[in-house]
């Protein structure tokens, strides 16, 4: 069974330069340890690493650790920080580089397209172009410059993704008002804010009836779903006492939690075990978050190895083979 990493990131130098020149609220600051980091205002977002830019280094890492296929994606702040021309330029820069990497390393690299979501017509066109160039899915942040993923303005994009039945990696970024919530210190925007961002985005989708409207979506909730598995019982109780006239979803919350997919990035074997107990081993896929400073390739292998053999095989590769049609 091949090992397929569905959560691993890549940048380009031109994309980073665009942020420096046209990033608006995004800026580059130097950390006390000398590393440069992308900030949103004063909220830390991401630390570019050498591996983000170097596919030879990526393949070496994959070979050394036993990863057969990596499905690469851009990460936050993605391309949601410019006007239409800049956002589209940033998306095409990232997507074209990933398409070239797939051509350079056939059988090893696949990729998620990034789209200028604030400009739906351009986003749909870029989605079509990216799929023609080999994209196997879409990566979207859990909020689009503060807008919810269920915002009606994004409906044309979701309709096209649903029509194509594409996998969509929902990845967190700093939540709106992170500074007001005092998340700027101690990497709280990463440890707490990111989990909050993913959890809130997917919960809105569930209770808004989003998966009934777009039944072909293959949503992948990053970082083991944030806190979604832990909140399953609370969702069920909330639905039980909801006023019928306000209820939009057609099934129970747990049904939707078992409809979507998750990666295994949780840094804890017990957390992964709990995730599997709530949603089933057939809904979880392998992820490492490489090459972020917080990547956990070693832990991903160790934590999945602690599962029963059949579940381990499903998580490490079997589920992704089906979801991505690889």
């Amino acid at each position: 069974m091949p090992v397929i990493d569905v959560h691993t990131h890549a940048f380009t130098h031109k994309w980073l330069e665009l942020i420096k020149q046209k990033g608006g609220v995004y800026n580059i600051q130097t950390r006390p340890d000398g590393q440069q980091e992308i900030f949103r205002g004063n909220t830390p977002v991401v630390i570019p690493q050498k591996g983000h830019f170097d596919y030879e280094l990526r393949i070496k890492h994959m070979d050394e650790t036993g990863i057969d296929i990596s499905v690469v994606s851009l990460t936050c702040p993605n391309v949601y920080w410019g006007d239409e021309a800049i956002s589209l330029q940033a998306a095409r820069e990232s997507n074209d580089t990933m398409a070239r990497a797939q051509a350079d390393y056939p059988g090893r690299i696949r990729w998620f397209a990034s789209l200028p979501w604030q400009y739906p017509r351009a986003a749909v066109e870029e989605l079509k172009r990216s799929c023609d160039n080999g994209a196997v899915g879409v990566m979207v942040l859990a909020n689009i410059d503060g807008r919810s993923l269920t915002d009606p303005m994004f409906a044309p994009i979701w309709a096209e993704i649903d029509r194509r039945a594409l996998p969509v990696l929902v990845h967190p970024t700093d939540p709106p008002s992170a500074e007001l919530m005092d998340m700027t210190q101690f990497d709280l925007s990463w440890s707490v804010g990111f989990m909050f961002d993913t959890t809130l985005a997917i919960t809105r989708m569930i209770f808004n009836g989003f998966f009934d409207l777009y039944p072909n979506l293959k949503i992948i909730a990053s970082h083991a779903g944030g806190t979604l598995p832990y909140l399953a019982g609370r969702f069920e109780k909330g639905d039980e006492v909801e006023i019928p006239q306000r209820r939009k979803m057609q099934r129970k919350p747990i049904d939707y939690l078992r409809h979507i997919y998750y990666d295994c990035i949780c840094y804890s074997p017990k957390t992964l075990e709990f995730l599997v107990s709530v949603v089933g081993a057939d809904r979880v896929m392998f992820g490492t978050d490489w090459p972020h400073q917080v990547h956990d390739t070693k832990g991903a292998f160790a934590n999945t190895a602690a599962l029963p053999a059949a579940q381990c095989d499903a998580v490490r590769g079997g589920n992704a083979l089906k979801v991505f049609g690889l």
Side-chain angles (χ1 to χ4, degrees):
M1 180 68 67
V3 176
I4 303 172
D5 186 353
V6 306
H7 186 154
T8 173
H9 300 299
F11 297 159
T12 78
H13 291 291
K14 288 183 179 179
W15 172 84
L16 188 58
E17 282 302 312
L18 276 174
I19 290 180
K20 291 179 180 179
Q21 298 169 11
K22 306 287 186 178
V25 296
Y26 291 96
N27 61 92
I28 310 296
Q29 299 183 26
T30 302
R31 293 158 44 101
D33 61 3
Q35 293 188 89
Q36 289 200 322
E37 185 167 12
I38 299 173
F39 279 70
R40 186 182 190 280
N42 292 316
T43 302
V45 177
V46 65
I47 308 169
Q49 304 289 323
K50 183 178 180 180
H52 282 115
F53 307 94
D54 190 335
Y55 279 93
E56 287 188 11
L57 183 60
R58 176 181 298 277
I59 295 297
K60 180 181 178 182
H61 175 78
M62 292 167 63
D63 289 342
E64 290 175 347
T65 57
I67 297 171
D68 297 290
I69 301 171
S70 287
V71 188
V72 296
S73 58
L74 196 56
T75 184
C76 47
N78 210 273
V79 301
Y80 312 148
W81 32 264
D83 59 21
E84 183 170 355
I86 293 298
S87 294
L88 183 58
Q89 180 183 352
R92 287 181 171 176
E93 163 63 23
S94 178
N95 295 337
D96 288 349
T97 302
M98 291 179 182
R100 286 195 296 271
Q102 178 173 282
D104 290 342
Y105 301 99
R108 305 301 302 278
I109 300 295
R110 296 290 185 271
W111 55 287
F112 289 103
S114 288
L115 308 174
W117 282 76
Q118 314 100 303
Y119 311 100
R121 180 178 299 179
V124 171
E125 291 176 356
E126 181 59 17
L127 174 61
K128 294 176 180 177
R129 193 185 75 93
S130 295
C131 288
D132 289 343
N133 287 340
V136 295
V138 174
M139 187 272 199
V140 65
L141 298 185
N143 75 83
I144 309 291
D145 194 24
R147 288 182 179 268
S148 301
L149 297 184
T150 53
D151 191 304
M153 77 172 290
F154 304 133
I157 310 172
W158 285 118
E160 181 62 18
I161 294 173
D162 184 68
R163 187 186 70 80
R164 293 174 179 267
L166 293 172
V168 179
L169 179 68
V170 176
H171 191 286
T173 184
D174 51 300
S177 301
E179 294 186 3
L180 290 178
M181 291 187 282
D182 196 17
M183 290 186 180
T184 59
Q185 299 184 73
F186 316 115
D187 277 332
L188 294 180
S189 58
W190 171 79
S191 60
V192 177
F194 274 26
M195 302 302 98
F196 166 78
D197 199 35
T198 299
T199 300
L200 187 59
I202 301 297
T203 303
R204 282 198 189 101
M205 288 178 165
I206 290 173
F207 281 84
N208 198 46
F210 199 77
F211 297 110
D212 302 311
L213 184 61
Y214 304 112
N216 300 314
L217 288 182
K218 301 172 184 174
I219 293 290
I220 306 167
S222 293
H223 309 118
T227 63
L228 288 170
Y230 184 77
L231 294 173
R234 197 170 186 87
F235 293 155
E236 291 292 298
K237 175 55 70 173
D239 181 54
E240 179 184 315
V241 300
E242 177 60 287
I243 299 171
Q245 294 89 333
R246 295 196 311 198
R247 195 176 190 276
K248 291 187 176 182
M249 55 186 168
Q250 297 176 7
R251 293 178 284 166
K252 295 293 184 181
I254 191 63
D255 296 325
Y256 297 99
L257 290 176
R258 292 171 179 164
H259 170 76
I260 67 175
Y261 296 90
Y262 308 79
D263 65 36
C264 72
I265 303 170
C266 55
Y267 308 103
S268 162
K270 288 298 182 182
T271 302
L272 179 58
E273 181 182 333
F274 180 69
L275 170 65
V276 169
S277 74
V278 173
V279 303
D282 62 327
R283 314 313 286 184
V284 184
M285 290 181 280
F286 192 81
T288 65
D289 230 345
W290 194 86
H292 284 334
Q293 188 164 307
V294 295
H295 85 84
D296 196 29
T297 304
K298 182 178 179 180
F301 275 102
N303 295 342
T304 52
L307 298 172
Q311 293 186 355
C312 177
D313 286 346
V315 172
R316 286 186 177 179
N319 296 333
L321 286 174
K322 297 175 184 176
V323 171
F324 291 92
L326 299 177

